[in-house]
Amino acid sequence: MKKEFVKGMRHGVPIMLGYLSVSFGFGVLCIQQNLSILAAVGISVTNLTSAGQVAGVGVIAAGGSLIEMILCQLVINLRYSLMSLSLSQKLDPSFNLMHRLFVGYGITDEIFAVASSQTEPLKPSYMYGLILTPFLGWSTGTLLGAIAGDIMPASVTAALALMLYGMFIAIIIPPAKKNHKVLVVILIAAALSVIMHYLLPMISGGFAIIIAAVISSVIGALIFPASEQERGEAAE
């Protein structure tokens, strides 16, 4: 268990470093919206999702209702349900309900990408380690950003927000270079996302991600069906 936990922490270090800079900008944003340092850190600790947190702060700043907040978070974070369902196929038999609930809290885009790339079954200790380091990076970055407050100019804060997307691209590029099937699915998802953004603006960003992920995955499965060898390895 200790070996798997340390392995997970080691795999989470790159995510932690990326989160540290991105969450710094979020901490600054909270202070600019007249939230306290405690509130900023509390949001990061209880809601581990960059897009959801930024949108939530907007609702708070606008004096929105709890219903608005619930719907906002549901739409933006619904994609994590798909990620959790996908990872459930790779879980070790030792994953009981309690482990699933705790790990479900820490599923983010980057943690999902790293976890899904593992060839061995995912053990609870590995997932806890993989979640812990990014969690510490995100919370610490938020704290430092909130303390810095209004010292950082708005242009720097906006630039820091781009770090999350750059980090995610860095995660998906290596497997795409090794496997052309992965590259094709990524390109299909990107194309669908662009189409919905410009031609179907009525679809929210959260639902657009879900639609693009599902359709690209289905097309990929139809174009590149798993071979008998791959099915045998998945069954094992």
Side-chain angles (χ1 to χ4, degrees):
M1 291 179 60
K2 181 179 179 181
K3 181 180 178 181
E4 287 294 319
F5 183 76
V6 173
K7 177 183 177 182
M9 290 185 65
R10 188 173 67 251
H11 287 179
V13 169
I15 303 176
M16 177 192 71
L17 296 176
Y19 280 1
L20 190 64
S21 59
V22 177
S23 60
F24 187 93
F26 173 73
V28 174
L29 174 65
C30 287
I31 300 302
Q32 291 176 342
Q33 297 295 336
N34 298 318
L35 295 179
S36 66
I37 295 177
L38 181 60
V41 176
I43 292 173
S44 284
V45 168
T46 58
N47 188 14
L48 196 60
T49 160
S50 58
Q53 290 181 215
V54 173
V57 169
V59 173
I60 293 173
S65 65
L66 289 176
I67 297 298
E68 289 180 80
M69 179 66 77
I70 292 172
L71 292 176
C72 173
Q73 297 303 314
L74 177 64
V75 171
I76 293 177
N77 299 324
L78 193 58
R79 68 185 187 279
Y80 294 130
S81 299
L82 293 178
M83 296 179 187
S84 297
L85 286 173
S86 176
L87 286 181
S88 67
Q89 308 303 311
K90 298 173 63 67
L91 299 182
D92 185 83
S94 60
F95 252 99
N96 57 31
L97 177 60
M98 190 60 65
H99 286 314
R100 290 171 183 261
L101 291 175
F102 279 119
V103 169
Y105 153 80
I107 297 299
T108 66
D109 300 281
E110 295 74 28
I111 291 174
F112 167 76
V114 173
S116 62
S117 67
Q118 302 304 305
T119 56
E120 300 178 355
L122 300 172
K123 297 182 179 180
S125 54
Y126 171 80
M127 290 301 299
Y128 288 140
L130 180 61
I131 292 171
L132 178 61
T133 41
F135 168 80
L136 293 176
W138 188 263
S139 302
T140 303
T142 300
L143 175 61
L144 296 176
I147 293 175
D150 294 328
I151 297 177
M152 299 290 289
S155 58
V156 176
T157 304
L160 288 174
L162 297 176
M163 292 290 293
L164 186 65
Y165 304 102
M167 179 175 54
F168 186 69
I169 291 174
I171 292 176
I172 65 175
I173 289 299
K177 292 173 64 177
K178 294 180 181 179
N179 192 330
H180 74 281
K181 299 178 183 178
V182 176
L183 176 61
V184 170
V185 173
I186 291 174
L187 292 177
I188 292 174
L192 290 173
S193 180
V194 172
I195 291 173
M196 285 185 284
H197 177 75
Y198 288 103
L199 300 182
L200 300 171
M202 71 290 297
I203 299 178
S204 67
F207 278 118
I209 292 175
I210 294 174
I211 294 172
V214 171
I215 294 179
S216 61
S217 298
V218 171
I219 293 177
L222 293 175
I223 298 177
F224 308 112
S227 63
E228 292 297 330
Q229 180 180 356
E230 292 173 333
R231 291 174 182 172
E233 292 176 353
E236 294 177 0

